[in-house]
């Protein structure tokens, strides 16, 4: 028996895999895959039921039946078809497919725009609504469960480039066929403005663990040496705006959402 | 409410355990590039199964994730072995340079671990990297506690031999 300490092997293994520091994709991407998988399982279950029904029908044919019925199961659009559509139009899939009322919708992002697409007659097609022109692909995220504005309607966070080096975050959402910017707390007095910008540096809104957050820097003694605070914004369905009670917000700025 | 609670639990599991599960997969697979795929698929299956809504105990969800990672790793290994068996005899393309993957693949303990039979490798990784108890390891692997004791003992012995030879 060779001498080998258990602690030693733990240390060996820990050190060996320590260089692996993966960047987790947005959880919403995996949720979209989960939705697709669930639909597949449901349709596969429907297929089994249909097969069972067919077997029963055969039996009924042997012993003549008075009638028969069939159930049409509408196929949901697949994530693959949406991704493929996005790719063929120079973009990358960012959201969907998800049910928006009676239609399935999705979205893809190019370097200049977010394009919302709808599924009809077995095909994806752009829905023609105005899209923000600063929605650089990798900064676009679908607003997840933690920040949903209107259940069943598409909504996206994105950053806008403004000022000198600052990045401004905001949210647009599909309000019954029109893209609207979401309001944030004190910005409610400014129609058509959105202001996830809530601090001095690195303020752009983004999704962390399903919540919509922005960063606020105390800038004391300087912005470079200041403390970053993660500000969580929550959608208030009653007032129809995002709000936060975080005391670390030192100021608000407003910024016009550049829809085109 | 169940949906919201489930979503929060999934997000918490994702933030806290994603990295350690990828690292665990790196010890189970001999293709580090596939580790993230395996772990992401495990989360997708957990989210699709609606288990999050039924499982009050986060530990139960984590155990499900570990088991799924193990099963997917086994499947990936089987597919890779089959592909290797029937692959044409040509030189493989150069792997894209990746310092992290390269460092892991060169680690003596990883090389030694990959030389172990599958069950020994799994038992050692789950017991001594994932830090599971013998009972938890047995649950994840779907074997008895006695078998886990045997696998870990033999696995450690062979690892020690390999590592001493290497050093």
């Amino acid at each position: 028996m060779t001498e080998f300490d258990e602690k030693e092997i733990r240390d060996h293994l820990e050190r060996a895999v320590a260089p692996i520091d993966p960047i987790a994709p947005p959880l919403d991407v995996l949720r979209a895959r989960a939705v697709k998988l669930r639909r597949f399982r449901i349709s596969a279950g429907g297929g089994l039921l249909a097969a069972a029904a067919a077997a029963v029908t055969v039996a009924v044919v042997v012993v003549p039946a008075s009638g028969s019925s069939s159930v049409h199961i509408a196929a949901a659009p697949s994530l693959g078809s949406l991704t493929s559509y996005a790719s063929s139009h120079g973009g990358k899939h960012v959201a969907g497919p998800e049910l928006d009322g009676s239609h399935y919708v999705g979205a893809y992002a190019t370097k200049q725009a977010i394009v919302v697409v709808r599924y009809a007659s077995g095909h994806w097609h752009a829905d023609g609504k105005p899209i923000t022109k600063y929605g650089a692909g990798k900064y676009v995220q679908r607003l997840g469960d933690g920040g949903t504005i209107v259940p069943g309607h598409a909504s996206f966070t994105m950053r806008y480039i403004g000022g000198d080096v600052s990045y401004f975050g905001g949210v647009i959402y599909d309000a019954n066929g029109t893209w609207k910017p979401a309001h944030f707390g004190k910005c409610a007095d400014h129609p058509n403005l959105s202001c996830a910008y809530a601090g001095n540096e690195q303020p752009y809104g983004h999704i962390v663990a399903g919540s919509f957050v922005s960063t606020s820097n105390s800038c004391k003694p300087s912005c470079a040496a200041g403390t970053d605070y993660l500000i969580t914004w929550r959608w208030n369905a009653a007032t129809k705006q995002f709000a936060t009670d975080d005391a670390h917000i030192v100021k608000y700025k407003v910024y016009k959402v550049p829809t085109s | 409410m169940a949906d919201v609670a489930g979503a929060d639990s999934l997000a918490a599991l994702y933030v806290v355990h994603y990295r350690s599960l990828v690292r665990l997969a790196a010890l189970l697979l001999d293709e580090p590039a596939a580790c993230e795929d395996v772990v992401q698929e495990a989360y997708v299956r957990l989210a699709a199964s609606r288990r999050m809504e039924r499982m009050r105990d986060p530990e139960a969800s984590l155990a499900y994730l570990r088991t799924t990672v193990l099963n997917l790793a086994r499947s990936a290994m089987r597919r890779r072995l089959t592909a290797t068996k029937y692959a044409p005899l040509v030189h493989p393309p150069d792997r894209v340079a990746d310092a992290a993957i390269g460092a892991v693949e060169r680690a003596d303990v990883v090389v030694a671990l990959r030389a172990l039979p599958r069950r020994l490798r799994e038992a050692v990784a789950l017991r001594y990297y994932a830090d599971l108890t013998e009972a938890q390891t047995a649950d994840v692997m779907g074997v008895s506690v006695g078998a886990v004791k045997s696998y870990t003992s033999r696995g450690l012995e062979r690892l020690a031999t390999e590592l001493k030879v290497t050093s």
Side-chain angles (χ1 to χ4, degrees), chain A residues 1-6 9-14 16-27 29-31 33-35 37-38 41 145-146 208-210, chain B residues 7 10-11 14-15 18-19 22-23 26-27 36 40-41 43-45 47-48 50 100 103-104 107 109-110 113 127-129 131 156-157 159-161 163-164:
Chain A
M1 176 74 184
T2 313
E3 292 293 327
F4 209 59
D5 184 54
E6 287 189 3
I9 187 66
R10 287 183 208 276
D11 292 344
H12 268 299
L13 294 171
E14 191 66 50
V17 294
I20 298 176
D21 195 12
I23 299 171
L27 186 53
V29 172
L30 301 189
R31 284 202 176 108
R33 285 173 55 189
V35 169
L37 179 60
R38 203 177 293 161
R41 285 174 176 168
D145 296 338
V208 172
Chain B
L10 183 65
Y14 193 56
V15 170
Y18 180 80
R19 184 169 61 179
V22 170
R23 290 175 171 178
L27 296 175
E36 288 195 66
Q40 287 171 22
E41 180 64 21
Y43 276 100
V44 167
R45 293 188 182 190
R50 294 193 183 276
V104 173
V109 70
V110 172
L113 196 63
R127 281 282 287 128
Y128 300 116
Y129 175 72
D131 214 17
L156 280 185
E157 189 176 350
L159 271 184
T161 306
L163 289 174
K164 289 202 169 183

Side-chain angles (χ1 to χ4, degrees), chain A residues 71-110:
Chain A
V71 178
H72 175 69
I73 301 170
S78 69
L79 177 62
S81 69
L82 175 56
T83 304
S84 171
Y85 181 88
S87 168
S88 65
H89 288 74
K92 294 182 77 171
H93 164 266
V94 292
E98 60 185 271
L99 204 53
D100 182 9
S102 59
H103 295 88
Y104 279 94
V105 298
Y108 67 86
T110 67

